[in-house]
Amino acid sequence: MGSSFCRTSSTYQVQAVLDAESVGAALEREDAWSIHVTDEVASTNDAVLDLPVGSETVGTVLFAERQTAGRGRRGNVWFGGPPESNLLFSCRVRPAWPLRDWGRLTHLTALALKRALEGYPPASPLVKWPNDLYLGDRKVSGILAETKMQGGGEASAVIGVGVNVNVQQDELPEEIRDLATSLREVTGTWIDRVGFAAGILDRLSDILSSPAEAFAKQLAELKKAHYSLGKPVRARLGVKIIEGTAIDLGSEGERVLDVGGGKRCVLASADEVRVRR
Ligand code: BTN
C-alpha cells in the first residue's frame, strides 16, 4: 500500500499528487479518518477491508489512482480515468445505527457529495436516485455502498465513490462521452483533488456523525436536489419495467412513482432508472 496518515494539521499544498498526509492536513476534523493512498488496486471497495483499524472516529478511507477491476452497481465496470485525474476511493465505516438502517448510506453519501460539489460554482449538483450525482444532464459521480462481514462476524459498510474530477471530455471512453462529465469540464478550471477529497470526507464525517433522527431533514435537502423529481421515468427491476412520474422520496429514501390511475409505486431499489425523454 502507498502512503498512510491519521492526524491533521492546518495547512496543505495545492498539488496534482494525492497523498494521505496532504488529505489529512486539509481535513477540518481531526482524527475522523484514517487515510491511505495507493497507486493501484483491483477495487478499493475490497482492498479497504484489509486495512488495519486505528484510532479514527469515523472510518478508514482508501484512495487509488488506478483500479484494475473497479466496479459500479449491478456489475458494471467503473471507468477511473487517467491516473492523477479523478477520485476513486472507498470508506470503511461502522455506523452506530441498526443494520436495517445502513441502506441510508447511499443517500447520505450522495448528500455529502452534493454539498462538496456545491463548493465549486457554477457546479449545481443534482442527485439521480439512488446513487448518481449529475452536473447538468451528465453523470459526474457514482456510489457503490456494500455491507461486508469481517472476521468475528462483525459487519462493516463500505462506501465506494468515483468522481470525475479533472478528466477531460475527449479522455472519456466513447460509449460514455455523451453521458458523463467532470468537475473540471463544468467549472472550466483544474481542480485540486486534495482539497476536494478533504471537502468530501469532512461532509461525510459530519453527516455520519449526526443522530439517526437527522435523516428526515437530510432527505428533505436531498429531495430538493433530485434530478428526476417531477420527470417521467422508466425503472427496471430484473425483467420488470415500471413507468411513472418520480414524485417523491419515501421515509427511507425510496423512490416514489406516480404510475397513473391514482396509484403509487414505492421502489426501495432498481436495476436501472432512466428519465424518459
Ligand atoms: C456506479 O455508478 O455504478 C457506482 C460506481 C462506484 C465506483 C467506485 S470507484 C471506487 C470504488 N471502488 C470500486 O470498485 N467501485 C467504487
Side-chain angles (χ1 to χ4, degrees), residues 100-101 103-108 128-131 215-216 219-220 222-223 226 228-229 233 235 237 245-258 264-270 273:
R100 65 170 184 275
D101 292 340
R104 295 177 176 183
L105 284 171
T106 298
H107 307 299
L108 293 174
K128 180 165 171 287
W129 185 89
N131 69 313
F215 190 60
L219 265 188
L222 262 187
K223 230 186 264 187
H226 248 277
S228 32
L229 215 58
V233 300
L237 291 89
T245 303
I247 52 167
D248 203 357
L249 291 180
S251 60
E252 286 302 316
E254 307 91 333
R255 165 51 78 225
V256 183
L257 296 180
D258 177 344
R264 287 174 174 211
C265 177
V266 180
L267 302 177
S269 69
V273 184

Side-chain angles (χ1 to χ4, degrees), residues 1-4 16-20 35-44 47 51 61-70 80-89 193:
M1 205 62 70
S3 56
S4 306
V17 175
L18 191 72
D19 70 86
I35 298 170
H36 303 258
V37 178
T38 189
D39 280 341
E40 184 175 296
V41 285
S43 162
T44 54
L51 295 171
V61 52
L62 173 64
F63 292 90
E65 292 293 3
R66 263 178 250 99
Q67 296 184 117
T68 53
E84 304 196 351
S85 60
N86 292 334
L87 286 177
L88 310 170
F89 64 96
R193 289 184 307 155

